[in-house]
């Protein structure tokens, strides 16, 4: 029996992804000066304006307007309906609530109030919530194939634009991939959909041919697939896509959480990542859950693994840890045994996640587009498979 599954991605020029990158660019700029900075920044983009709001507690000084304009320029919005120079930037930032800080701060202080050091072992979670991590053997990145292909198509769409391989392209764009599965896994590519913003004088027939030959075919080939006689290819299904970016649609931080994670293939706890420092477990807890799930699969304990972690604000220890292997666990290994092994091998207290994954540094703008997981080109700490031997040894005991 065959089944279909579809995932989508968007380019760095999509207005929601622009907002994510600006929020994470501000976070990176603060962490570069103040690793303990507390940041929760949201960005809204619409025609002619970038609005930055949120809560920040830091000793750093960051010119947020300059950060926003630089990122908008790097994405490619120099004119074409939205401009990094002429568009306005409005900022409304206040300090983090002192009530939240009561549950999260774990500083050891001298009698004069000065900080000696921070007790990361007792750092409380920055919020309540539940996070999911996932891994599977469908790709070398241990990610689901549909979202992996969707991301790579959007990355390639941006690459051919910036390098001039395809002329007349603009920054906004989207992809969607439907994969056909049988009982053994991915069988063929069923449908590929591309929406690519372009100049008004770009001919649709030329663009369709160029995107098929220079974007779709190379990406599918990299993963061992070809366009066959049944594969459906769609490019700009409305006929044209000239008005795009913030001129065509409002962008907002945290509105592409499924694009950021597993493309809907795995469950999602609902929390967005971008603009949040790692004391917020929406971000660090999700990264840790991916780290755990990837090591479970890489260790050969299961072909697929979904890990859920739950937290309460101000409490370091997770409230619960759950593993679902969807019936793919190695013979003789119960999911409850995997959970016990995870508890012994991974320290999932927020402060120890921050320490062990070295999260208090500028890491985040680079993952604000094209996914936070499976990015083997970035050498991300939560993508390490460094605990496989410990897990196998613990299971053996």
């Amino acid at each position: 029996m065959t089944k279909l599954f579809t995932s989508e991605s968007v380019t760095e020029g999509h207005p929601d992804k622009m907002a994510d990158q600006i929020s994470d660019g501000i976070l990176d700029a603060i962490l570069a000066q103040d690793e303990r900075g507390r940041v929760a920044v949201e960005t809204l983009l619409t025609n002619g304006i970038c609005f930055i709001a949120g809560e920040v507690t830091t000793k750093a000084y960051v010119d947020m307007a300059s950060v926003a304009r630089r990122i908008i320029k790097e994405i490619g919005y120099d004119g074409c309906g939205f401009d990094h120079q002429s568009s306005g930037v409005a900022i409304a930032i206040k300090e983090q609530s002192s009530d939240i800080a009561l549950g999260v701060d774990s500083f050891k202080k001298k009698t004069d109030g000065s900080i000696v050091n921070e007790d990361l072992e007792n750092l409380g979670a920055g919020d309540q919530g539940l996070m999911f991590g996932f891994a599977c053997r469908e790709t070398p990145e241990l990610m689901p194939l549909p979202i992996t292909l969707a991301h790579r198509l959007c990355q390639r769409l941006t690459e051919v634009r910036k390098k001039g391989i395809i002329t007349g392209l603009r920054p906004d764009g989207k992809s969607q991939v439907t994969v056909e599965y049988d009982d053994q896994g991915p069988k063929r590519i069923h449908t590929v959909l591309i929406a690519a913003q372009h100049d008004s004088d770009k001919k649709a027939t030329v663009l369709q041919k160029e995107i098929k030959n220079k974007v779709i075919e190379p990406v599918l080939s990299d993963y061992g697939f070809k366009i066959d006689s049944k594969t459906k290819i769609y490019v700009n299904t409305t006929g044209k896509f000239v008005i795009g970016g913030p001129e065509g649609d409002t962008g907002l931080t945290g509105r592409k959480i499924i694009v950021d994670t597993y493309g809907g293939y795995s469950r999602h706890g609902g929390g967005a990542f971008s603009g949040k420092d790692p004391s917020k477990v929406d971000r660090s807890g999700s990264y840790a859950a991916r780290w755990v799930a990837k090591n479970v699969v890489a260790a050969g304990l299961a072909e697929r693994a979904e890990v859920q972690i739950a937290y309460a604000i101000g409490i370091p220890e997770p409230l619960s840890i759950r593993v679902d292997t969807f019936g793919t666990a190695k013979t003789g290994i119960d999911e409850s045994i995997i959970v016990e092994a995870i508890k012994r091998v991974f320290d999932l207290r927020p402060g120890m996640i921050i320490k062990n994954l070295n999260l208090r540094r500028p890491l985040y703008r680079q993952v604000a587009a094209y996914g936070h997981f499976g990015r083997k080109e970035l050498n991300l700490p939560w993508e390490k498979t460094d605990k496989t031997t410990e897990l196998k040894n613990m299971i053996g005991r």
Side-chain angles (χ1 to χ4, degrees), residues 38 104-106 118-125 316 350-351 354 360:
R38 294 284 164 78
V104 180
D105 288 343
S106 60
E118 186 177 21
D119 181 10
L120 284 174
E121 291 189 3
N122 292 306
L123 182 75
I354 290 170
R360 283 181 168 166

Side-chain angles (χ1 to χ4, degrees), residues 344-394:
R344 294 172 181 269
V345 172
F346 294 90
D347 192 335
L348 296 176
R349 292 174 291 177
M352 300 312 292
I353 294 171
I354 290 170
K355 178 181 179 181
N356 292 329
L357 295 182
N358 191 17
L359 296 181
R360 283 181 168 166
R361 53 192 170 111
L363 276 175
Y364 301 108
R365 188 207 157 182
Q366 63 182 342
V367 292
Y370 312 120
H372 294 244
F373 308 124
R375 303 289 298 280
K376 60 184 180 181
E377 77 275 14
L378 298 180
N379 194 29
L380 299 168
W382 53 87
E383 292 295 314
K384 298 183 295 184
T385 53
D386 55 337
K387 299 291 186 180
T388 56
T389 300
E390 289 180 69
L391 277 173
K392 287 188 283 189
N393 289 342
M394 194 61 64

Side-chain angles (χ1 to χ4, degrees), residues 15-24 43-45 251-253:
D16 290 331
K17 274 289 139 213
M18 291 175 66
D20 286 341
Q21 290 171 88
I22 291 168
S23 295
D24 273 339
T43 302
L44 183 147
L45 292 152
L252 186 65
T253 300

